[in-house]
Amino acid sequence: MPGPRGAADDLAFLPAPPVKLSHRVLKSLLGAWALVACSPEETEAVEDHLTDCAPCADEALRLRDAVSLLHTERNLDLDPLLRSRVLQGCLGRRPARIPVPVWAAPYDAETARLDALLNDFGKAEWHAPVRLKWYEGEQAASQRTTVAGVIGHLLTVDGLVASALGLGDDPDGTLGAEPPLSPAERTRRYWAALATPPDRTIREPWREQSHTLIRTVSFAGQDAPATAVPYGEFSLPLRDALLDRAFECWVHAEDIADAVDYPYDPPASSHLNLMIDLAARMLPATLAGRRRSGLASPPRGPVPEGRPGRSLRLEIEGAGGGDWYIPLDSPAATGSPDHSVAHVALDGVEFGRLAAGHVEPEEAVAGQEGDREAIRDVLFAAAALSRM
């Protein structure tokens, strides 16, 4: 009598016989093996063959070394200057018919960098808590919001520039006011008018508005840079307003990156230099305002308009570096190295964070010498440039 038959299910799970391939076929698979492109069965057959065939083993080693040269280890994050280099390369071959003005380039770059950061955010990241920081008087102030709330803040304050250019600035019908609202007032009114907390849908109107601003200033005439942009209690010419918006975009992009625990690089050195220059030019008026409020020491005597007077040398080291001489006694005076009574040295990025209210004035200085009172006045005036 015949013996018992194995069950069909048992036969289905028997191991497959090993793949038998010729030397010629195995040699032809070495390239695919080095690229990890073989099937599991082919990989096993090749590796078994390499233990017995010295010529193929030598060839496999050379191929694996060659593959390692094709796949160098590098950071997954793109170089922040890559976009600028690509654009420069393209424009070097075919110049733009309507180029972006030099004074608008920092805003173009910083909005593009922030947009790239936001690109892969999921729902949770958009609702991550963010604390905005600035200085009021002698005290640090803050406001709690979310990543989406920060983008809403940028959208509404960028609307000041859009309004000055005649583009409209009222995304939901709540921001129109006479006299114009300050950036903080606009933001708070916008947040209060929302029926639900802002979410990822805020990205598209912010993105579209920033693109529209860049296109508009690029096509504007020669008088456009001087167009006044009202900020409530003061105004800035358009060229300075876009530098201000670039600076705030960088600062709040860092706030967002910190909220989601992601690294974020400073602006390009040339762009940071323009932002620092704007802050240095605003310092004399800010210092005078603090003096009227009793928050800074009195002037040491009248200085005729346009004449040099007591000055502080602000030396910026590293990225965005340079020297600025800040007049101490009157915004109408001019800074002068011959009238310098104090010297402050800071790193460029550190000065930017001081002007953003993210660094305590007493903790920002890398080096200082001269009139301590003047140094304190200028450092606190730098922090007073910040706002929500």
Side-chain angles (χ1 to χ4, degrees):
M1 296 179 61
R5 294 174 53 193
D9 289 344
D10 293 339
L11 293 175
F13 287 99
L14 289 175
V19 177
K20 297 294 185 181
L21 300 174
S22 67
H23 173 86
R24 182 178 59 82
V25 172
L26 290 167
K27 185 176 181 180
S28 70
L29 289 172
L30 292 179
W33 172 83
L35 291 168
V36 196
C38 289
S39 68
E41 294 81 7
E42 291 171 336
T43 299
E44 183 180 1
V46 169
E47 292 177 350
D48 286 343
H49 179 66
L50 296 180
T51 62
D52 299 325
C53 181
C56 284
D58 291 341
E59 180 67 13
L61 184 60
R62 286 194 294 270
L63 290 171
R64 182 60 62 87
D65 289 342
V67 168
S68 68
L69 297 175
L70 299 175
H71 298 278
T72 57
E73 293 184 2
R74 62 183 66 186
N75 193 311
L76 293 177
D77 297 326
L78 291 179
D79 182 340
L81 299 181
L82 177 60
R83 179 175 182 272
S84 297
R85 288 201 297 269
V86 172
L87 287 175
Q88 288 173 359
C90 294
L91 295 175
R93 293 175 177 269
R94 183 177 180 180
R97 186 171 62 88
I98 306 294
V100 174
V102 172
W103 45 270
Y107 178 76
D108 183 30
E110 292 309 308
T111 52
R113 291 207 304 143
L114 175 53
D115 189 46
L117 174 66
L118 300 172
N119 187 56
D120 294 325
F121 276 18
K123 182 178 180 179
E125 285 88 357
W126 281 96
H127 294 285
V130 179
R131 186 167 292 278
L132 305 180
K133 301 176 183 178
W134 69 97
Y135 252 74
E136 290 182 355
E138 301 281 291
Q139 302 295 324
S142 66
Q143 171 71 52
R144 183 182 172 89
T145 184
T146 64
V147 169
V150 174
I151 301 303
H153 168 56
L154 292 174
L155 172 70
T156 58
V157 184
D158 283 358
L160 291 168
V161 182
S163 178
L165 292 172
L167 300 174
D169 68 332
D170 205 351
D172 60 0
T174 64
L175 299 179
E178 289 291 341
L181 299 173
S182 70
E185 291 168 333
R186 285 175 63 87
T187 298
R188 291 192 176 102
R189 182 175 291 193
Y190 173 75
W191 284 342
L194 295 175
T196 58
D199 57 20
R200 66 192 310 163
T201 59
I202 196 67
R203 179 191 176 203
E204 191 54 39
W206 167 77
R207 189 171 186 263
E208 179 57 32
Q209 179 177 254
S210 65
H211 290 177
T212 302
L213 287 175
I214 292 298
R215 287 195 299 269
T216 302
V217 300
S218 297
F219 281 88
Q222 294 182 349
D223 296 333
T227 302
V229 178
Y231 275 70
E233 296 181 354
F234 66 97
S235 64
L236 291 173
L238 177 62
R239 63 183 303 142
D240 286 348
L242 275 188
L243 281 175
D244 170 80
R245 304 314 307 137
F247 175 75
E248 187 167 1
C249 186
W250 162 48
V251 169
H252 289 327
E254 279 200 340
D255 292 335
I256 290 171
D258 288 344
V260 298
D261 196 25
Y262 196 84
Y264 200 80
D265 289 326
S269 292
S270 59
H271 294 172
L272 184 57
N273 180 270
L274 293 174
M275 298 177 199
I276 292 172
D277 180 70
L278 172 62
R281 288 187 282 114
M282 295 176 70
L283 275 174
T286 303
L287 179 56
R290 287 178 56 81
R291 185 172 285 136
R292 288 192 295 270
S293 301
L295 299 175
S297 60
R300 302 285 179 85
V303 181
E305 182 177 352
R307 300 291 295 174
R310 273 193 330 134
S311 306
L312 176 141
R313 178 191 174 194
L314 175 63
E315 180 185 2
I316 301 299
E317 303 169 337
D323 286 287
W324 287 263
Y325 288 88
I326 312 301
L328 297 172
D329 295 320
S330 169
T334 59
S336 166
D338 294 332
H339 293 73
S340 178
V341 298
H343 177 199
V344 168
L346 293 109
D347 172 74
V349 174
E350 189 78 354
F351 177 77
R353 291 172 179 154
L354 170 65
H358 284 42
V359 175
E360 296 286 342
E362 297 94 339
E363 299 175 359
V365 180
Q368 58 179 274
E369 62 180 4
D371 190 324
R372 298 296 174 181
E373 196 172 54
I375 291 171
R376 183 186 186 280
D377 286 345
V378 169
L379 291 177
F380 273 86
L385 293 172
S386 63
R387 60 177 182 272
M388 186 177 78

